[in-house]
């Protein structure tokens, strides 16, 4: 029974009635297509502002989180509700006590209402927030085929505000930051985009290249930055070889380069005093904007003695190297053309200059989990992975999770495969047998210790794979990490784990394939065949004393959520990990998908590692389907082999996940549960005095000190807590 309860709690909490959500909306037409996705080329829809009230969810360990769809991708073609989602980013920084990005925000509470000018009914009265707010930002690259069969890519930025006293109500400003074409029938594609990074001020970095573009478009490799809050919301911002058509809001930082550059990221304006564009390239160099709008400076000192780096770079505000304002990282190799066996980390100053560096190297003989040893194990050599396919050009960022624990130790993490495994192939890009390795370093130049935050243990035939346990709040296993092949049926085979991100206390976050137990437990041992294989968001909770991790399930594909302002439930139907042909998807979770501070600007030193507030907010791409006809089938009319007559609506969205309201402080002295410690509780204690049986109740609720009997110490505790519970 215990193995069922944790997952049942997670799913049931998501299905409970929740406050209004937005972009939680369905069209007023009731016809399935066309839906209410916004037109990316309509000059009246370039900037829209609306309220998002988040839904509470409860993790497998009982932690309170909240989530909601904060951005729908645009409708760029008639055949689908919205565009597909590519790489996303969340600002590494958080602004506190700043003005709201917009003066007023649309808010609605009924089916059919929303922000679309024709396909929604008008929303209710606008919400005009008073006072100051906290602020994050997110960005996403979307792609589609328009009605002229041309490739469309756009960059969307979201500015996210909230009152510190009510973090469940988000005030979102959705901004079309960049376009590669001018309309649904346009064939003049001027660029292909790869999403990079964004800071909390809305400075949005992305890559643009000349793949499939027409004359007049960009040439070679380019980095652009758009000041989303400076966008002219009455005009498009088409990215051309000469720059952005909204030139006042657009900086062209790497211009038509013949060098291949990875997708960029940014050192936030709030930390450096100005936004600083940064990135790596195929020449083995780290490039940075040493002065505002200057030609990028390129150096190789970021990787120390490593002859090569791989993957896209990560930035964290964690200050580890003296004289730095943050830390960056990427994958690296100790031998040219060999495996990715190192992580390169380096400090940066306010102009992006390298200030200290360090390499950490994977153990040659593999790793094991001190908390939960593997059966087969990784024999090594190991290879840091998820850097193959299109990710260098399309994102996301980055491959290394970077942070500090509460003792100031550097925590660096990355996903890996075993090069000796049966499914590694040439480069491990679709190997499903993965792990997440974590290095801990006490000070610059000190040696590193290694741990496993996550693993999937495979035999040569994948006959009986097993993964690290996912637990409830008692420590009982409610599931385990699984092979992606067990979710997909084998295509794609893998990877099964995404790149990780590190929160404010050293916890590790990632998306994974999971096996959720049902009935008596693990089907591999019970033979029941009733477990559920799906994908989910995982937090690996850090135990500093033992340098081990416990896995917690935060949300899963298949969850059903009540959207009160749409008056419809929606179901999560897709959380991407891999591309259809194998290798990691650009639309999945990377280290840059999460802000690095604690929720609401809380001091992380005051939190336990299991507190939901250790994470300040993250975004993940998801496909959600609204049950418009309320027949509980959540049927996407545009899905292959689906029902085209269905009136349900399917949207690709960015889901925001953040800390929920903290659980009420424990009040064990309130023995009758009325919320007050008073005379009734004292009478119960008196009736239990000296009686280890405690009036027939075991364990004894009045034995506060746990010594086996009720006495004066217990009475003193109760009298000290007299009055309303906290």
């Amino acid at each position: 029974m215990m193995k069922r309860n944790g997952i049942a709690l997670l799913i049931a909490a998501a299905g409970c009635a929740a406050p209004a959500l937005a972009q939680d909306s369905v069209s007023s037409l009731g016809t399935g297509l066309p839906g209410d996705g916004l037109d990316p080329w309509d000059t009246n829809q370039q900037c829209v502002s609306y309220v998002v009230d988040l839904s509470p969810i409860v993790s497998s360990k009982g932690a309170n989180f909240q989530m909601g769809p904060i951005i729908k991708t645009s409708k760029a073609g008639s055949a689908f509700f919205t565009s597909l989602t590519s790489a996303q980013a969340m600002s590494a920084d958080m602004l506190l006590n700043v003005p709201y990005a917009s003066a007023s925000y649309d808010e609605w509470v009924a089916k059919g209402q929303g922000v679309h000018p024709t396909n929604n009914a008008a929303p209710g009265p606008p919400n005009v927030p008073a006072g100051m707010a906290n602020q994050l930002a997110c960005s996403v690259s979307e792609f589609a085929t328009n009605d002229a069969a041309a490739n469309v890519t756009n960059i969307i930025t979201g500015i996210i505000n909230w009152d510190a006293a009510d973090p469940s109500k988000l005030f979102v400003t959705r901004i079309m930051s960049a376009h590669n074409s001018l309309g649904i029938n346009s064939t003049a594609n001027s660029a292909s985009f790869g999403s990079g990074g964004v800071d909390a001020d809305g400075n949005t970095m992305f890559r643009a290249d000349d793949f499939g573009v027409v004359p007049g478009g960009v040439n070679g490799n380019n980095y652009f930055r758009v000041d989303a809050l400076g966008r002219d919301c009455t005009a498009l911002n088409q990215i051309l070889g000469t720059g952005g058509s909204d030139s006042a809001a657009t900086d062209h930082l790497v211009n038509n380069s013949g060098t291949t550059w990875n997708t960029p990221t940014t050192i936030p304006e709030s930390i450096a005093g100005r936004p600083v564009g940064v990135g790596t390239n195929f020449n083995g160099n780290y490039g940075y904007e040493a002065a505002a709008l200057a030609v990028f400076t390129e150096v190789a000192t970021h990787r120390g003695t490593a002859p090569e780096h791989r993957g896209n770079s990560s930035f964290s505000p964690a200050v580890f190297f003296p004289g730095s304002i943050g830390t960056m990282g990427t994958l690296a190799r100790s031998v040219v053309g060999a495996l990715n066996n190192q992580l390169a980390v380096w400090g940066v100053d306010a102009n992006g200059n390298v200030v200290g560096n360090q390499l950490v190297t994977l153990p040659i003989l593999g790793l094991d989990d001190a908390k939960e040893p593997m059966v087969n194990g990784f024999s090594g050599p190991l290879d840091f992975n998820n850097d193959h396919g299109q990710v260098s050009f399309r994102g996301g960022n980055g491959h290394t999770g970077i942070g500090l624990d509460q003792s100031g130790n550097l925590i660096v993490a990355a996903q890996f495969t075993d090069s000796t495994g049966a499914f590694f192939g040439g480069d491990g890009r679709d190997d499903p047998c993965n792990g997440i390795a974590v290095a801990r370093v006490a000070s610059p130049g000190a040696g590193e210790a290694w741990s496993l935050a996550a693993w999937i243990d495979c035999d040569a035939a994948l006959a009986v794979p097993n993964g690290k346990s996912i637990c409830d709040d008692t420590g009982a296993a409610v599931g385990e990490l699984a092979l992606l092949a067990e979710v997909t049926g084998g295509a794609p085979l893998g990877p099964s784990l995404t790149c990780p991100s590190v929160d404010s206390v050293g916890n590790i976050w990632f998306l994974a394939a999971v096996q959720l137990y049902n009935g008596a437990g693990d089907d591999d041992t019970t033979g029941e065949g009733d477990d559920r294989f799906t994908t989910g968001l995982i937090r690996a909770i850090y135990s500093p004393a033992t340098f081990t991790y416990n896995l917690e399930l935060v949300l899963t594909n298949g969850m059903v959520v009540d959207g009160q302002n749409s008056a419809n439930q929606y179901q999560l139907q897709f959380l991407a990990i891999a591309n259809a042909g194998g290798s990691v998807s650009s639309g999945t979770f990377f280290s840059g998908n999460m802000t690095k501070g604690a929720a609401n600007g809380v001091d992380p030193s005051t939190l336990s590692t299991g507190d939901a507030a250790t994470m300040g907010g993250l975004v993940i791409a998801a496909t959600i389907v609204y049950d418009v006809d309320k027949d509980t089938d959540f049927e996407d009319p545009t899905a292959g082999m689906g029902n085209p007559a269905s009136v349900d609506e399917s949207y690709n969205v960015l889901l925001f996940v953040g800390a929920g309201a903290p659980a009420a402080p424990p009040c064990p002295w309130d023995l009758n549960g009325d919320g007050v410690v008073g005379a009734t509780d004292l009478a119960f204690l008196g009736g239990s005095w000296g009686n280890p049986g405690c009036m027939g109740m075991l364990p004894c609720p009045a034995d506060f000190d746990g010594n086996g009997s009720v006495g004066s110490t217990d009475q003193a505790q109760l009298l000290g807590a007299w009055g309303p519970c906290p």
Side-chain angles (χ1 to χ4, degrees):
M1 181 64 71
M2 188 65 70
K3 290 188 175 182
R4 293 196 299 268
N5 287 346
I7 301 304
L9 179 66
L10 176 74
I11 295 172
C16 293
L21 299 173
Q23 286 197 283
D24 165 36
S25 63
V26 295
S27 78
S28 58
L29 306 177
T31 57
L33 284 170
D36 67 354
L38 296 178
D39 182 342
W41 303 289
D42 187 331
T43 55
N44 293 314
Q45 299 178 41
Q46 296 302 293
C47 306
V48 294
S49 299
Y50 45 84
V51 171
V52 179
D53 290 308
L54 300 174
S55 289
I57 58 174
V58 181
S59 77
S60 64
K61 285 182 171 290
N64 292 320
F65 293 94
Q66 50 189 351
M67 59 169 278
I70 58 171
I71 290 178
K72 285 180 179 174
T73 57
S74 309
K75 186 175 178 65
S78 300
F80 296 96
F81 289 95
T82 52
S83 302
L84 295 172
T85 306
S86 188
Q88 322 103 52
M90 174 68 86
S91 57
D93 61 326
M94 179 187 299
L95 306 183
L96 305 178
N97 199 33
V98 297
Y100 285 85
S102 299
S104 67
Y105 296 79
D106 286 326
E107 192 168 15
W108 57 90
V109 293
K111 179 180 179 179
Q113 291 182 327
V115 293
H116 195 285
T118 59
N119 294 359
N120 287 131
N127 188 318
V128 182
M132 305 297 276
N134 295 341
Q135 184 167 301
L136 292 169
C138 62
S139 65
V140 59
S141 175
E142 61 178 6
F143 67 101
T145 301
N146 69 8
D147 288 1
N151 293 326
V152 173
T153 59
N154 301 302
I155 303 289
I156 304 171
T157 304
I159 308 297
I160 308 162
N161 292 111
W162 70 94
D163 184 336
D166 186 11
S168 66
K169 182 181 289 291
L170 304 184
F171 294 81
V172 178
T173 302
R174 179 189 188 275
I175 302 163
M176 294 300 304
S177 286
H179 311 72
N180 82 328
S181 64
L182 297 177
I184 197 168
N185 291 304
S186 172
T187 58
N189 304 333
S190 60
S192 288
F193 298 147
S195 186
V198 65
D199 69 16
D201 285 283
N203 297 297
T204 306
M205 287 285 298
F206 58 96
R207 181 185 187 276
D209 62 39
D210 55 9
F211 180 79
V213 307
V214 299
V218 301
N219 293 307
N221 289 255
N222 300 262
Y223 281 176
F224 287 91
R225 179 175 57 223
V226 172
D227 174 8
L229 288 174
R231 276 276 287 117
D232 177 358
C233 294
T234 67
L236 304 187
N237 187 24
Q238 187 178 17
I239 301 301
L240 302 163
T242 54
S245 57
D246 185 356
S247 59
T250 308
D251 297 327
H252 197 171
L253 300 179
V254 172
N255 192 338
N256 299 339
S257 173
T259 299
T260 301
W261 286 80
N262 299 73
T263 51
T265 189
T266 186
I267 303 175
E269 180 178 353
S270 69
I271 296 173
R274 64 176 175 90
V276 180
V278 290
T280 54
N281 63 35
F282 280 32
N283 286 346
N285 292 332
Y286 156 65
Y288 56 99
E289 183 188 5
L293 306 182
V295 174
F296 265 35
T297 300
E298 295 184 46
V299 298
T301 53
H302 68 296
R303 51 185 166 85
T305 59
E308 290 184 329
H309 64 222
R310 284 293 184 272
N312 302 336
S313 56
S314 305
F315 173 82
S316 169
V319 175
F320 182 69
F321 296 96
S324 70
I325 62 168
T327 306
M328 296 189 65
T330 191
L331 312 182
R333 296 172 171 176
S334 61
V335 177
V336 173
L339 300 175
N340 299 331
N341 64 329
Q342 296 180 313
L343 302 177
V345 291
W346 64 98
V348 291
D349 68 13
N351 290 314
N353 296 296
V354 174
V355 182
N357 63 70
Q358 185 146 352
L359 287 168
V360 294
T361 304
L362 272 171
I364 294 175
L365 297 179
L367 292 169
D368 205 350
D369 185 346
K371 181 176 180 59
E372 186 181 0
M374 295 181 285
V375 175
N376 299 300
F378 299 108
S379 58
L382 306 178
D383 179 51
F384 288 122
N385 218 282
N386 278 348
D387 60 322
H388 299 289
Q390 77 297 326
V391 293
S392 293
F393 318 110
R394 303 293 169 242
N397 280 46
H399 289 82
T400 53
I402 304 169
L404 298 178
D405 68 11
Q406 291 161 308
S407 297
N409 296 305
L410 178 69
I411 303 293
V412 190
Q415 186 260 29
F416 69 86
T417 60
D418 186 346
S419 67
T420 64
F423 302 92
F424 183 77
D427 55 21
R429 68 178 62 201
D430 64 348
D431 190 336
C433 306
N434 311 139
I436 292 177
V438 186
R440 183 168 71 179
V441 186
S443 60
E448 69 270 13
W450 286 94
S451 181
L452 277 179
W455 49 265
I456 301 160
D457 193 11
C458 303
D459 63 14
L462 297 185
V464 188
N466 71 296
K468 185 173 174 67
S469 295
I470 300 165
C471 296
D472 65 13
D473 56 344
T474 72
V478 296
E480 62 186 72
L481 300 181
L483 300 173
L484 184 66
E486 294 177 284
V487 178
T488 64
L493 188 65
S496 304
L497 306 177
T498 67
C499 297
S501 192
V502 180
D503 71 15
S504 67
V505 299
N507 296 325
I508 310 296
W509 293 73
F510 54 97
L511 286 180
V514 297
Q515 175 184 354
L516 306 181
Y517 300 156
N518 199 5
D522 185 355
D523 282 356
D524 292 337
T525 56
T526 67
E528 294 173 292
D530 58 357
D531 290 354
R532 185 163 74 96
F533 291 88
T534 186
T535 50
L537 176 65
I538 300 290
R539 176 171 70 158
I541 299 175
Y542 175 51
S543 298
T546 58
F547 194 18
T548 57
Y549 289 87
N550 296 279
L551 299 191
E552 170 186 42
L553 182 64
V554 177
L555 61 82
T556 68
N557 198 36
M559 288 174 62
V560 174
V561 181
D562 288 341
Q564 288 194 345
N565 71 326
S566 67
N568 278 267
Q569 290 186 324
Y570 64 84
Q571 183 182 55
L572 275 63
Q573 289 202 353
F574 187 64
L575 300 172
I577 293 180
N579 292 319
S583 82
V584 70
S585 169
S586 287
T588 192
F589 185 84
F590 288 82
S591 68
N593 279 60
M594 189 172 76
T595 194
K596 301 305 186 284
N600 229 1
V602 170
D603 180 356
S605 69
T606 66
L607 303 173
S608 70
T609 58
D611 196 312
T614 62
M615 186 271 293
L618 62 81
V619 288
I620 52 176
T623 301
I624 63 174
V625 177
Y626 285 94
D627 184 27
V628 174
D629 56 9
K630 301 186 185 299
D631 63 358
T632 71
D633 64 2
F634 302 95
E635 191 172 26
D636 177 3
T638 66
M641 306 297 290
N643 175 15
S646 171
V647 299
D648 293 347
E649 299 180 15
S650 173
Y651 298 99
N652 294 309
V653 302
L654 278 192
L655 288 177
F656 178 91
V657 181
C667 191
W669 314 279
D670 176 22
L671 297 171
N672 68 342
D674 65 354
V676 177
V677 180
T680 303
D681 307 304
L682 182 61
F684 182 93
L685 183 144
S688 306
W689 197 272
N691 181 0
C694 200
M695 300 175 68
M697 300 178 66
L698 288 174
C700 179
D703 179 19
F704 305 128
D705 62 6
N707 69 355
S709 65
V710 178
S712 58
T713 303
D714 305 302
Q715 182 184 56
Q717 285 194 32
L718 187 145
L719 293 174
W722 198 268
C725 287

